[in-house]
Amino acid sequence: MTVYQVMIVDDEPTSVNLLKTVIEKKCDGFQVTEIAYDGTEAMEKLKGVQPDILITDIQMQVMSGLELVKRIREKYPEMLCVLVSGYQEFEYAKQAIQYRVSDYILKPIVPSDIKKLFVKLGKKLKQTYYYQRNILIHSCLLYTSDAADDRISVD
């Protein structure tokens, strides 16, 4: 069974612990492998690991979740990002769409909503990795075929 890696970024330890607990208890196939308490710490940790999913609070000290997602899009465009917010402001949602976030969830966090979200994210990741594997296999077959053609000499 494939286990997808999740990074949680939030400046509120209680929110981090709640999300981590819900993901690990309710979302099969997902594991929280990294936690950061602000966007700068998250960017530093991303130099060493690249999780499949990043969940970040939208309002944090040092660097907002929107700024973090913007920077992630520049360096890791394939990473799935989810914004968590206690605010239902249209401007945040508009920016989230601009940065191609996978979803935008509101606080307070509802475990059943997180489970549904992770089912959706799991399907998306499975499809993405299936597509990437097919491209890799196709590329390998083409390379092998081209190498074999180079060895054939016609006299």
Side-chain angles (χ1 to χ4, degrees):
M1 176 181 184
T2 303
V3 176
Y4 298 113
Q5 296 181 5
V6 180
M7 177 184 229
I8 299 171
V9 186
D10 196 322
D11 58 355
E12 295 177 29
T14 53
S15 293
V16 169
N17 291 334
L18 175 61
L19 263 173
K20 184 177 188 303
T21 300
V22 170
I23 292 166
E24 291 180 346
K25 293 200 182 283
K26 304 264 184 202
C27 304
D28 293 335
F30 295 91
Q31 180 181 11
V32 177
T33 55
E34 289 293 330
I35 292 171
Y37 294 97
D38 64 59
T40 303
E41 180 185 1
M43 287 305 294
E44 195 59 37
K45 287 186 173 192
L46 286 171
K47 291 178 184 176
V49 296
Q50 291 181 22
D52 301 291
I53 300 168
L54 178 124
I55 300 178
T56 182
D57 189 16
I58 206 163
Q59 289 283 20
M60 295 183 292
Q61 300 291 321
V62 185
M63 180 191 304
S64 75
L66 284 169
E67 181 63 27
L68 174 60
V69 171
K70 179 182 176 187
R71 290 184 184 191
I72 286 171
R73 284 291 161 250
E74 294 166 2
K75 292 187 177 209
Y76 315 102
E78 298 301 316
M79 189 180 299
L80 299 183
C81 296
V82 176
L83 286 171
V84 179
S85 178
Y87 306 95
Q88 293 185 6
E89 293 190 28
F90 176 70
E91 199 55 40
Y92 287 145
K94 188 172 135 183
Q95 280 187 289
I97 292 167
Q98 179 183 348
Y99 297 141
R100 297 175 323 201
V101 298
S102 297
D103 216 313
Y104 185 97
I105 54 178
L106 294 172
K107 291 180 181 178
I109 293 167
V110 178
S112 60
D113 290 345
I114 297 297
K115 185 171 181 167
K116 288 176 194 170
L117 169 66
F118 274 80
V119 167
K120 183 173 88 171
L121 294 174
K123 287 177 183 176
K124 191 176 227 178
L125 285 168
K126 188 175 181 179
Q127 182 180 27
T128 298
Y129 289 138
Y130 176 80
Y131 177 74
Q132 289 174 348
R133 275 192 306 272
N134 280 341
I135 288 173
L136 180 62
I137 291 168
H138 184 72
S139 297
C140 289
L141 290 174
L142 279 177
Y143 175 76
T144 305
S145 169
D146 289 346
D149 289 345
D150 290 343
R151 288 192 303 256
I152 299 171
S153 61
V154 179
D155 293 328

